[in-house]
């Protein structure tokens, strides 16, 4: 039986459709749809105090911005992107295209066709999230997307140089310093200067997430993103200090970011809680991580690892870190998670920033039915069919006629009838079209 050592003061729930946010976003999208660039400019000035002559950066300006960076920053961006690209390309290579012959002369197949244009939103705000450029743009390019439009907001009236560098090296075809709903809407519906895209990707604040939700269907999206989540599963062999540091590493994403520990050891539970209380006062982002842990932090004590994995699946969290004696056991035991981080040598922060797997992952229980952003999300698996043998087409025609009439689809049935008549001399009781030919 599990026992809660620390409960969340404010339980995290699925999005409730905030009417205030929803209505505001609806009006902003409508404004961009109606007035295009004029609306985008006014909204950027209102929300970001940003109204440059052009939101789009040309190649010369991009080069100038990158030139202001420490060479080590540039080198690190390229190294991380190489890691992301290597994994994304391996994923793409794993996706086979097929063609099989299901009956004599009947060929069925599928191909993986890239989305033709993607809008990547790279958040700014509290943190300049250069890693989001790696995850959204590099992965899209690995999938073969020919046009990637990338938007990021100014930060306190300044262009975020490292983010621009990340967008450029990732392969963005168009880079705009533009944020918020106005950026997402402009990419989705198009304006006089920003061509519309087929799909939106990337995280953002509540307004950006709501804009993606409202625009879904008109364009595709990657995921409905919520606050970042971390769950640590620990046994008696875990280092409580490591567990505490890792829990707080994700709590600093935002004051509503859930962080949870499930452990088989009461000692580990107590020491993790003590370490967190000791670390928080000296943590530069403690003003964010503190409320997150206070309101959304949880510690659950369980009898054994069987129960730990069962409870962890009920959480269905975005990031699940396994600090146990045999961490790979979780690969076979767990089913509901965005990404697993196995063993003390691996941490969620590696996945967020450098290791190469994608950090755009399902939250708020969505891990029960979907994985995270990967190269396959930018591909459409489309099928094709070809019947080369007349005998097979006639047999399918007879079958189609019977099957369609069970469903009262006479038009469908007749398409099958025609092949059966043309290729095998079957009768067509509803027409004498082929009768004279056979006579």
């Amino acid at each position: 039986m599990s026992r809660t050592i620390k409960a969340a003061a404010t339980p995290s729930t699925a999005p409730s459709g905030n009417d205030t946010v929803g209505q505001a976003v609806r009006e902003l999208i409508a404004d961009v749809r109606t007035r295009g660039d004029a609306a985008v400019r006014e909204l950027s000035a209102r929300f970001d105090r940003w109204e440059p002559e052009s939101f789009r950066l040309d190649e010369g300006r991009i080069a100038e911005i990158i030139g202001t960076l420490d060479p080590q920053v540039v080198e690190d961006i390229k190294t991380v992107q190489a890691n992301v690209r290597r994994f994304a390309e391996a994923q793409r290579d794993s996706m086979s295209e097929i063609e099989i012959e299901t009956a004599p002369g009947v060929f069925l197949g599928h191909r993986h066709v890239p989305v033709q244009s993607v809008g990547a939103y790279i958040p700014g705000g509290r943190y300049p999230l250069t890693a989001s450029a790696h995850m959204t743009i590099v992965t899209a390019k690995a999938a073969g997307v020919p046009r990637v439009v990338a938007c990021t907001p100014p930060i306190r009236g300044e262009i975020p140089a490292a983010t621009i560098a990340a967008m450029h090296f990732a392969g963005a075809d168009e880079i705009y310093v533009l944020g918020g709903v106005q950026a997402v809407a402009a990419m989705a519906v198009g304006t006089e200067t920003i061509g519309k895209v087929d799909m939106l990707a990337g995280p953002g604040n509540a307004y950006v997430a709501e804009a993606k939700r409202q625009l879904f269907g008109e364009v595709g999206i990657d995921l409905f993103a919520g606050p970042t989540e971390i769950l640590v599963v620990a046994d008696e062999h875990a280092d409580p200090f490591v567990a505490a540091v890792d829990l707080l590493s994700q709590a600093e994403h935002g004051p509503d970011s859930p962080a949870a520990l499930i452990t088989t050891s009461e000692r580990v539970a107590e020491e993790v809680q003590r370490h967190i209380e000791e670390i928080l006062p000296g943590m530069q982002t403690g003003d964010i991580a503190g409320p997150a842990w206070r309101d959304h932090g949880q510690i659950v004590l369980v009898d054994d690892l069987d129960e730990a994995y069962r409870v962890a699946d009920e959480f269905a969290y975005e990031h699940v870190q396994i600090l146990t004696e045999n961490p790979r056991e979780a690969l076979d035991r767990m089913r509901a998670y965005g990404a697993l981080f196995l063993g003390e040598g691996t941490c969620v922060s590696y996945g967020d920033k450098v290791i190469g797997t994608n950090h755009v992952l399902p939250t708020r229980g969505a891990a029960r039915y979907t994985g995270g952003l990967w190269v396959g999300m930018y591909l459409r698996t489309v099928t094709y069919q070809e019947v080369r043998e007349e005998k097979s087409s006639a047999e399918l025609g007879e079958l189609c006629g019977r099957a369609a009439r069970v469903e009262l689809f006479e038009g469908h049935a007749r398409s099958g009838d025609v092949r059966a008549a043309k290729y095998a001399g079957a009768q067509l009781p509803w027409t004498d079209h082929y009768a004279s030919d056979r006579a």
Side-chain angles (χ1 to χ4, degrees):
M1 295 290 291
S2 63
R3 177 162 61 92
T4 300
I5 304 295
K6 180 190 182 303
T10 309
S12 298
T13 58
S16 58
N18 185 302
D19 290 341
T20 303
V21 173
Q23 183 58 34
V25 169
R26 194 170 296 110
E27 292 172 359
L28 295 173
I29 292 173
D31 194 17
V32 173
R33 194 186 298 277
T34 302
R35 298 195 300 123
D37 284 340
V40 169
R41 183 165 293 278
E42 288 180 18
L43 295 172
S44 179
R46 185 200 310 176
F47 295 121
D48 289 327
R49 298 181 183 178
W50 182 252
E51 197 176 3
E53 183 177 339
S54 173
F55 293 105
R56 182 174 178 176
L57 301 178
D58 61 28
E59 290 297 320
R61 185 71 180 106
I62 292 170
E64 289 177 9
I65 292 167
I66 294 174
T68 67
L69 293 170
D70 185 319
Q72 185 66 59
V73 171
V74 173
E75 182 180 341
D76 288 345
I77 288 172
K78 291 181 177 180
T79 298
V80 173
Q81 290 187 350
N83 291 341
V84 174
R85 187 175 295 108
R86 186 178 302 114
F87 188 68
E89 288 175 348
Q91 288 182 312
R92 178 67 180 86
D93 291 342
S94 75
M95 299 177 68
S96 299
E97 295 187 344
I98 63 169
E99 182 175 281
I100 62 171
E101 189 173 8
T102 59
V106 179
F107 295 88
L108 308 181
H110 77 221
R111 292 192 172 182
H112 305 298
V113 181
V115 172
Q116 292 301 290
S117 57
V118 167
Y121 187 80
I122 316 303
R126 187 181 293 121
Y127 306 115
L129 294 181
T130 58
S132 289
H134 317 330
M135 306 302 171
T136 55
I137 302 170
V138 169
T139 309
K141 284 299 181 180
V145 176
R147 174 175 174 252
V148 177
V149 180
C151 288
T152 195
I155 298 180
R156 292 178 291 277
E158 300 291 333
I159 294 176
T163 305
I164 299 302
M167 295 158 84
H168 173 71
F169 293 127
D173 300 286
E174 302 167 29
I175 295 177
Y176 297 85
V177 181
L178 181 65
V181 174
Q182 58 271 22
V184 174
M187 290 189 288
V189 307
T191 71
E192 299 91 326
T193 59
I194 302 176
K196 66 181 299 183
V197 300
D198 298 318
M199 178 179 174
L200 296 169
N205 63 19
Y207 288 85
V208 167
E210 175 63 15
K212 288 172 65 179
R213 189 189 69 80
Q214 292 187 19
L215 289 162
F216 177 54
E218 184 171 355
V219 293
I221 66 168
D222 51 355
L223 295 168
F224 294 114
T228 292
E229 304 162 342
I230 181 173
L231 171 65
V232 173
V233 176
D235 63 11
E236 68 276 13
H237 302 283
D239 183 333
F241 183 74
V242 170
V245 169
D246 290 345
L247 285 164
L248 292 178
S249 75
Q250 296 301 296
E252 75 176 354
H253 273 275
D256 54 355
S257 290
L261 169 70
I262 299 173
T263 181
T264 58
S265 167
E266 188 166 5
R267 175 190 62 82
V268 169
E270 292 171 351
E271 291 189 19
V272 166
Q273 191 159 16
R274 176 174 59 81
H275 284 308
I276 286 175
E277 292 169 356
E278 291 172 350
I279 293 168
L280 271 171
M283 191 173 173
Q284 290 91 330
T285 51
D287 59 328
I288 299 165
W293 177 250
R294 179 193 66 215
D295 296 336
H296 302 282
Q298 298 183 67
I299 298 177
V300 179
L301 184 65
V302 295
D303 291 335
D304 53 36
L305 283 176
D306 286 340
E307 187 177 14
Y309 294 134
R310 180 184 60 76
V311 174
D313 275 344
E314 291 174 358
F315 273 75
Y317 266 13
E318 175 185 19
H319 307 102
V320 178
Q321 189 165 328
I322 308 297
L323 298 179
T324 64
E325 186 176 22
N326 300 303
R328 289 185 68 86
E329 179 182 69
L331 286 171
D332 296 321
R333 303 294 298 280
M334 287 195 63
R335 293 293 179 267
Y337 54 86
L340 280 181
F341 300 82
L342 303 175
E344 188 179 278
T346 318
C347 60
V348 175
S349 295
Y350 286 177
D352 278 351
K353 305 299 181 186
V354 297
I355 205 168
T357 48
N358 207 293
H359 78 193
V360 181
L361 298 166
T363 60
R364 287 175 162 150
R368 293 177 291 105
Y369 59 82
T370 187
L373 178 61
W374 70 296
V375 70
M377 278 193 175
Y378 292 116
L379 297 167
R380 294 165 292 129
T381 301
V382 293
T383 60
Y384 62 91
Q385 307 81 34
E386 182 181 12
V387 183
R388 301 176 191 169
E389 297 288 338
E390 292 183 357
K391 182 176 183 293
S392 290
S393 184
E395 291 173 352
L396 285 169
E398 292 177 355
L399 177 61
C400 180
R402 294 192 300 270
R405 287 188 173 97
V406 168
E407 298 178 343
L408 307 181
F409 274 83
E410 181 62 23
H412 286 66
R414 291 181 178 188
S415 285
D417 293 348
V418 166
R419 273 89 186 162
K422 185 167 186 176
Y423 298 139
Q427 297 299 309
L428 290 180
W430 46 270
T431 181
D432 60 359
H433 181 78
Y434 289 117
S436 60
D437 293 343
R438 287 197 294 269

